[in-house]
């Protein structure tokens, strides 16, 4: 959807920043049809949850992952939160695609969702990361170390601002970009094979 439904202060500030940057790609109507050399093209990339080497659930303590799986995943109104993610490698490839590409002029710049193809609940991502860690260690199943702690847990503070199911079709169509990790599964597997 073209309509942004953000209501929190942080998201609204980002939208305002995009508008300010987008003013650099403003020209008069008759200038837009002419080919003006070196006129700035303004693209802003809205990144999903970023993960990569040293960052993300694969690099968290195993006990922390186990506790996350067993803790409530719903938000304050009882809905499971879905979030898109993006591996660092795919951020780099998207920016390179944008630098090499030549999209049409858009007054006010152009926004692109830099996300994977599969918005997923946090618990599914954590469970897959935990499975890969155990497989890398050669563990057959749950050990004493991976048993959820019985200590009282505080409710996790969420950095998110509601459900964010985004699509990346504009980026694919206008720059020919294809993510190497279309979902967190491919991304986590790639990291587990190259970082462990």
């Amino acid at each position: 959807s073209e309509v942004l439904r953000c209501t929190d202060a942080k998201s609204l500030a980002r939208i305002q920043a995009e508008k300010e940057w987008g003013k650099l790609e403003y020209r008069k109507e008759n200038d837009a049809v002419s080919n003006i050399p070196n006129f700035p093209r303004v693209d802003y990339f809205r990144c999903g949850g970023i993960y990569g080497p040293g960052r993300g659930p694969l690099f968290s303590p195993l006990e922390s992952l186990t506790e996350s799986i067993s803790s409530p995943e719903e938000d304050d109104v009882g809905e499971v939160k879905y979030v898109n993610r993006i591996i660092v490698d795919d951020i780099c490839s998207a920016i390179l695609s944008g630098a090499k590409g030549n999209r049409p002029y858009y007054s006010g710049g152009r926004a692109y969702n830099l996300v994977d193809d599969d918005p997923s609940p946090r618990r599914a991502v954590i469970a897959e990361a935990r499975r890969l860690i155990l497989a890398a260690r050669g563990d057959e199943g749950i050990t004493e170390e991976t048993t959820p702690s019985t200590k009282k847990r505080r409710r996790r503070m969420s950095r998110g601002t509601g459900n964010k199911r985004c699509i990346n079709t504009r980026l694919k169509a206008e720059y020919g970009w294809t993510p190497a990790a279309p979902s967190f599964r491919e991304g986590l597997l790639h990291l587990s094979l190259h970082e462990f």
Side-chain angles (χ1 to χ4, degrees):
S1 170
E2 293 286 329
V3 180
L4 294 172
R5 299 182 182 89
C6 306
T7 57
D8 62 288
K10 188 187 291 185
S11 296
L12 292 173
R14 287 178 184 148
I15 293 167
Q16 185 59 38
E18 288 176 358
K19 288 178 181 176
E20 293 299 316
W21 277 108
K23 290 177 183 177
L24 295 174
E25 192 172 341
Y26 172 78
R27 5 183 164 167
K28 295 177 182 175
E29 190 62 36
N30 54 355
D31 289 339
V33 295
S34 63
N35 188 14
I36 303 174
N38 300 321
F39 201 94
R41 187 181 71 211
V42 179
D43 293 337
Y44 19 93
F45 297 96
R46 298 172 179 156
C47 294
I50 301 170
Y51 66 102
R55 177 176 177 151
L58 276 180
F59 306 96
S60 299
L62 197 54
E63 183 184 48
S64 170
L65 298 181
T66 304
E67 288 182 3
S68 294
I69 292 172
S70 60
S71 63
E73 185 173 33
E74 296 79 14
D75 62 16
D76 292 335
V77 293
E79 294 181 358
V80 174
K81 292 174 64 172
Y82 285 78
V83 178
N84 285 90
R85 290 162 180 82
I86 186 77
I87 193 168
V88 171
D89 298 37
D90 281 337
I91 295 175
C92 296
S93 71
I95 292 171
L96 289 173
S97 295
K100 294 175 187 174
N102 187 26
R103 67 157 171 80
Y105 159 76
Y106 292 99
S107 179
R110 196 74 160 152
Y112 296 93
N113 291 325
L114 190 35
V115 296
D116 64 16
D117 298 332
D118 184 24
S120 304
R122 181 175 182 273
R123 182 173 292 159
V125 180
I126 299 294
E128 179 64 7
R130 183 177 175 279
R131 186 189 70 77
L132 290 169
I133 292 170
L134 289 172
R137 289 181 8 173
D139 289 358
E140 295 295 324
I142 295 180
T143 63
E144 186 176 335
E145 181 188 347
T146 63
T147 302
S149 170
T150 56
K151 66 184 177 186
K152 186 174 182 181
R153 291 190 294 268
R154 292 180 297 170
R155 184 179 171 96
R156 223 176 133 269
M157 291 294 291
S158 174
R159 294 189 308 165
T161 53
N163 279 321
K164 292 185 180 177
R165 297 189 199 196
C166 306
I167 55 173
N168 54 28
T169 50
R170 176 184 290 175
L171 183 58
K172 290 177 176 178
E174 295 185 5
Y175 282 133
W177 175 74
T178 303
S183 80
F184 69 87
R185 293 169 195 86
E186 294 86 359
L188 292 178
L189 179 61
H190 171 79
L191 288 173
S192 71
L193 294 175
H194 294 90
E195 296 296 322
F196 285 178

